[in-house]
């Protein structure tokens, strides 16, 4: 009897949701198709990709959208993908032909009738409107599967505001988020198990814990911010395989199919590589106002890349394209930037080469010459679980002009967003190019693009929202019209 009632309720819900999204499509089946882990990202000047997960496969993921409260348009796809061990399908719908810099209301297939969300499309290249974006790296699951207020180093204080919650608090100030690698830290399940932090798990049950950590992360992020602001992401080493390069008696051979080689990361996102000639979520670029943004991949796909089979990080992942593809793409992408439209170039890669701790020399060899040749303005990194604001730097030397119209890129490392492993310490004495280092605070970076000549970065302590470090780069770009 009870199940009949539930079935009837379920059918009623199906009718409503299906009516709004796709006529005559009785595809919605309660919790099997209920959307979770919702997020979206820019996809070309007039596009947005909307993504969400469901317990079951959707034959035809659909997004209903419109400019007012009328969701009078529908976009479909056939992209509902999963992998061995995943408990969900990732659904991706690309919407094109949108008005730039415009707010839309949308809903996704099988959402509750009144669950409407909003996104704002990207600011056209060359538009001088000032804006702010949020930058994070190394952010993991919070709570009983990750960073908590018990049982680990650098545990949160009870009730401490996390970086996710801080982003939620500040979301009205920024237009998008950029997460430069290391998302969720699902591969920390082994450490959590070995530490006794997850006392009721076993090595055999690890694959399920890995997926639980991923699901928790994406839901926490959705509940706080990714349902409301575009979420751009790049690859970090913690996306590479199931066990963080091996731990104790265990090596990556314990990783089961589905939890190696960036599989979850490749399924979960659809970054705008199609629009920028890049590759999947590994390397791509996009324009927003006065800035050309580039995501690079410091993990695989260049000479001596650390996560490659036999590489220094022992992650046994990649490559994803023929030898040389990423570097060739980066050269072409940099060469094609119209500096009259987007005077600024900001590049993000996960592993730093300028930082007061072990550095990625092969990354430096692969990427720095191009940064210098093409006048990259700002280079952002993570991976180290602290904050370091460096100078403008070229070939290991701080630029004598500092941030006052340097010719070298300005480097910032911020991997302090927070995750199960806590924070780490920078090495002292610091290098001659280090300006400010903070290794005791969880936080994120707020960038403000003021105009053609000024960009500021603030390090925000997540716990209380205070700005605890701040600096502004001045660049006299040729062709600045404003
Ligand atoms: C582990 O299982 C025991 C016995 O069921 C339970 O009392 C305990 O709360 C569990 N611990 C955690 C952290 O889930
Ligand atoms: C926001 O994130 C916190 C963890 O940082 C999580 O506990 C909370 O559930 C999230 N909020 C929502 C509405 O999902
Ligand atoms: C990882 O996946 C790529 C793309 O499918 C494949 O070419 C590569 O060989 C894989 N690497 C490993 C170590 O399995
Ligand atoms: C890739 O190309 C570089 C230079 O073009 C070369 O030095 C390197 O040996 C090549 N690597 C492989 C794996 O073929
Ligand atoms: C700064 O330090 C680096 C090594 O950390 C060194 O190679 C470089 O010569 C130094 N530059 C100056 C100007 O002191
Ligand atoms: C650019 O922005 C900076 C920082 O807000 C400001 O000081 C400067 O006057 C602005 N330049 C122009 C030309 O408006
Ligand atoms: C906010 O938190 C940071 C980091 O813990 C601390 O240094 C700062 O003093 C705090 N600021 C205020 C106003 O409480
Ligand atoms: Fe990392």
């Amino acid at each position: 009897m009870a199940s009949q009632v539930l079935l009837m309720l379920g059918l009623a819900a199906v009718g409503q949701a299906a009516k709004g999204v796709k006529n005559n499509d009785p595809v919605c089946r309660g919790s099997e198709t209920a959307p979770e882990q919702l997020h979206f990202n820019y996809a070309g000047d007039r596009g947005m990709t909307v993504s969400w997960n469901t317990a079951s496969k959707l034959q035809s993921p659909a997004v209903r959208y419109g400019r007012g409260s009328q969701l009078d348009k529908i976009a479909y796809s056939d992209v509902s993908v999963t992998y061995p061990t995943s408990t969900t399908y990732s659904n991706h719908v690309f919407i094109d032909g949108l008005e730039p810099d415009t707010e839309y209301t949308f809903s996704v297939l099988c959402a509750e009738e009144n669950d409407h969300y909003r996104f704002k499309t990207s600011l056209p290249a060359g538009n001088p409107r000032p804006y702010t974006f949020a930058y994070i790296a190394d952010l993991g699951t919070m709570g009983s599967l990750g960073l908590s207020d018990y049982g680990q180093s650098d545990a949160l204080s009870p009730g401490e505001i996390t970086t996710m919650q801080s982003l939620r608090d500040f979301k009205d100030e920024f237009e998008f988020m950029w997460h430069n690698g290391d998302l969720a830290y699902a591969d920390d399940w082994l450490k959590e198990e070995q530490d006794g932090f997850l006392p009721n798990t076993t090595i055999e049950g690890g694959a399920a814990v890995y997926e639980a950590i991923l699901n928790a992360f994406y839901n926490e992020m959705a509940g706080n911010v990714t349902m409301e602001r575009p979420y751009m992401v790049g690859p970090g080493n913690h996306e590479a395989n199931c066990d963080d390069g091996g731990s104790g008696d265990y090596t990556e051979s314990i990783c089961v199919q589905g939890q190696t080689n960036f599989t979850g990361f490749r399924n979960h996102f659809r970054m705008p590589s199609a629009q920028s000639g890049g590759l999947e979520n590994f390397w791509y670029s996009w324009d927003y106002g006065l800035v050309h943004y580039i995501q690079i991949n410091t993990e695989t796909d260049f000479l001596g890349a650390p996560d490659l089979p036999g590489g220094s990080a022992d992650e046994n992942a990649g490559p994803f394209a023929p030898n040389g593809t990423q570097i060739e793409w980066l050269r072409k992408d940099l060469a094609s930037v119209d500096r009259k439209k987007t005077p600024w170039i900001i590049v993000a890669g996960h592993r730093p080469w300028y930082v007061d701790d072990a550095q990625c020399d092969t990354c430096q060899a692969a990427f720095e010459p191009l940064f210098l040749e093409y006048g990259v303005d700002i280079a952002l990194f993570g991976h180290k679980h602290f904050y370091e604001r460096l100078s403008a730097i070229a070939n290991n030397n701080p630029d004598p002009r500092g941030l006052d119209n340097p010719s070298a890129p300005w480097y910032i490392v911020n991997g302090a967003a927070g995750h199960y492993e806590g924070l780490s310490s920078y090495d002292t004495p610091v290098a001659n190019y280090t300006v400010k280092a903070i290794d005791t605070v969880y936080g994120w970076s707020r960038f403000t693009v003021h105009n053609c000549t000024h960009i500021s970065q603030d390090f925000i302590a997540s716990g209380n929202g205070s700005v605890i470090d701040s600096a502004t780069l001045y660049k006299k770009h040729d062709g600045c019209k404003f």
Side-chain angles (χ1 to χ4, degrees):
M1 188 60 175
S3 67
Q4 275 178 351
V5 172
L6 281 177
L7 187 62
M8 284 166 62
L9 286 172
L11 285 172
V14 167
Q16 275 185 7
K19 187 170 155 235
V21 176
K22 192 175 178 186
N23 290 338
N24 311 319
D25 192 349
V27 295
C28 299
R29 287 171 286 116
S31 61
E32 287 300 302
T33 52
E36 53 172 299
Q37 306 180 23
L38 183 67
H39 56 105
F40 48 84
N41 57 264
Y42 303 123
D45 294 346
R46 293 177 160 260
M48 192 70 87
T49 296
V50 175
S51 305
W52 71 98
N53 288 42
T54 44
S56 290
K57 185 178 173 71
L58 299 178
Q59 288 311 320
S60 185
V63 175
R64 196 158 50 100
Y65 64 99
R67 283 182 60 174
S69 51
Q70 284 283 76
L71 308 188
D72 54 352
K73 295 197 169 73
I74 300 180
Y76 301 101
S77 84
D78 55 4
V79 185
S80 184
V81 291
T82 193
Y83 54 91
T85 73
S86 178
T87 61
T88 62
Y89 285 76
S90 291
N91 308 292
H92 303 284
V93 174
F94 167 57
I95 308 172
D96 206 2
L98 299 166
E99 289 300 315
D101 199 24
T102 299
E103 193 161 88
Y104 283 82
T105 305
F106 72 100
S107 186
V108 302
L109 182 65
C110 305
E112 296 290 332
E113 187 62 12
N114 293 322
D115 282 352
H116 289 179
Y117 314 98
R118 268 155 207 245
F119 61 64
K120 191 174 183 193
T121 52
S122 80
L123 188 62
N127 185 315
R129 173 164 67 68
Y131 64 90
T132 290
F133 70 90
Y135 170 83
I136 50 174
D138 305 82
L139 177 61
T141 301
M142 301 290 146
S144 59
L145 291 169
L147 182 60
S148 320
D149 58 9
Y150 61 90
Q152 58 205 232
S153 56
D154 306 309
L156 297 165
S157 331
E160 182 173 336
I161 295 169
T162 66
T163 294
M164 293 178 190
Q165 292 165 323
S166 181
L167 290 168
R168 179 195 181 106
D169 291 346
F170 279 89
K171 72 175 184 325
D172 290 342
E173 285 189 15
F174 60 79
E175 307 203 0
F176 63 87
M177 286 174 292
W178 195 0
H179 189 159
N180 186 16
D182 287 0
L183 298 76
Y185 285 77
D187 63 343
D188 267 355
W189 71 268
L190 181 58
K191 225 169 243 162
E192 295 181 24
E193 196 269 349
Q194 291 181 326
D195 289 355
F197 181 73
L198 296 175
N200 296 340
T201 59
T202 59
I203 295 297
E204 294 69 36
V209 180
Y210 178 103
E211 296 302 334
I213 296 174
L214 276 187
N215 290 337
F217 177 77
Y218 291 127
N219 278 317
E220 288 171 347
M221 285 297 277
N224 284 287
V225 274
T226 68
M227 293 197 315
E228 301 181 71
R229 288 292 175 276
Y231 188 39
M232 312 305 289
V233 300
N237 53 301
H238 287 269
E239 280 69 69
N241 75 22
C242 94
D243 62 356
D244 194 13
S247 172
D249 293 339
Y250 303 102
T251 66
E252 64 218 24
S253 59
I254 70 168
C255 293
V256 297
Q257 203 197 342
Q259 299 187 343
T260 60
N261 207 7
F262 291 88
T263 302
F265 178 70
R266 295 175 73 196
N267 271 258
H268 200 78
F269 296 98
R270 287 294 179 275
M271 289 299 123
S273 43
Q275 289 80 7
S276 55
L279 189 88
E280 299 188 16
N281 312 314
F282 291 112
W283 55 87
Y284 62 89
S285 64
W286 79 100
D287 291 330
Y288 197 97
L290 296 178
V291 185
H292 181 70
Y293 294 93
I294 303 177
Q295 176 70 56
I296 57 170
N297 170 10
T298 59
E299 303 309 303
T300 64
D301 291 89
F302 59 91
L303 193 61
D307 297 359
L308 286 171
S312 57
D314 209 10
E315 297 284 10
N316 198 38
F320 295 97
N323 190 18
T325 304
Q326 177 180 209
I327 302 301
E328 273 312 297
W329 171 84
L330 179 60
R331 175 182 289 286
K332 231 172 109 183
D333 190 79
L334 285 166
S336 69
V337 178
D338 179 353
R339 303 295 286 255
K340 293 207 164 59
K341 273 189 168 167
T342 53
W344 297 99
I345 299 179
I346 304 183
V347 182
H350 183 67
R351 280 178 204 254
W353 52 87
Y354 295 127
V355 68
D356 286 290
D357 192 1
Q359 316 178 358
C360 183
D361 296 337
T362 56
C363 302
Q364 177 174 17
F367 297 108
E368 188 185 29
L370 291 175
F371 287 14
L372 294 172
E373 182 176 347
Y374 291 98
V376 167
D377 296 291
I378 300 179
L380 303 178
F381 296 88
H383 190 61
K384 299 298 170 185
H385 306 146
F386 49 71
Y387 167 83
E388 264 196 26
R389 172 160 62 82
L390 306 140
S391 184
I393 313 169
N395 301 314
N396 302 312
N397 289 306
D399 191 306
R401 300 191 61 97
L403 299 186
D404 183 14
N405 199 28
S407 55
W410 180 24
Y411 283 78
I412 295 169
V413 175
N414 187 353
H419 54 87
Y420 175 75
E421 296 170 22
L423 292 159
S424 36
S425 307
Y426 60 83
D427 290 347
T428 46
V430 297
N432 54 29
Y433 42 65
T434 303
V435 178
K436 179 89 179 186
I438 300 172
D439 60 6
T440 53
V441 179
Y442 291 120
W444 54 282
S445 288
R446 177 177 64 192
F447 281 86
T448 305
V449 179
H450 298 285
N451 49 40
C452 185
T453 51
H454 290 71
I455 289 184
S456 304
Q457 188 260 171
D458 303 315
F459 179 47
I460 300 199
S462 298
N464 61 16
S466 294
V467 174
I468 55 175
D469 185 48
S470 190
T472 297
L473 173 65
Y474 165 71
K475 281 300 266 279
K476 187 176 178 302
H477 289 117
D478 290 342
C480 257
K481 296 186 300 267
F482 19 77

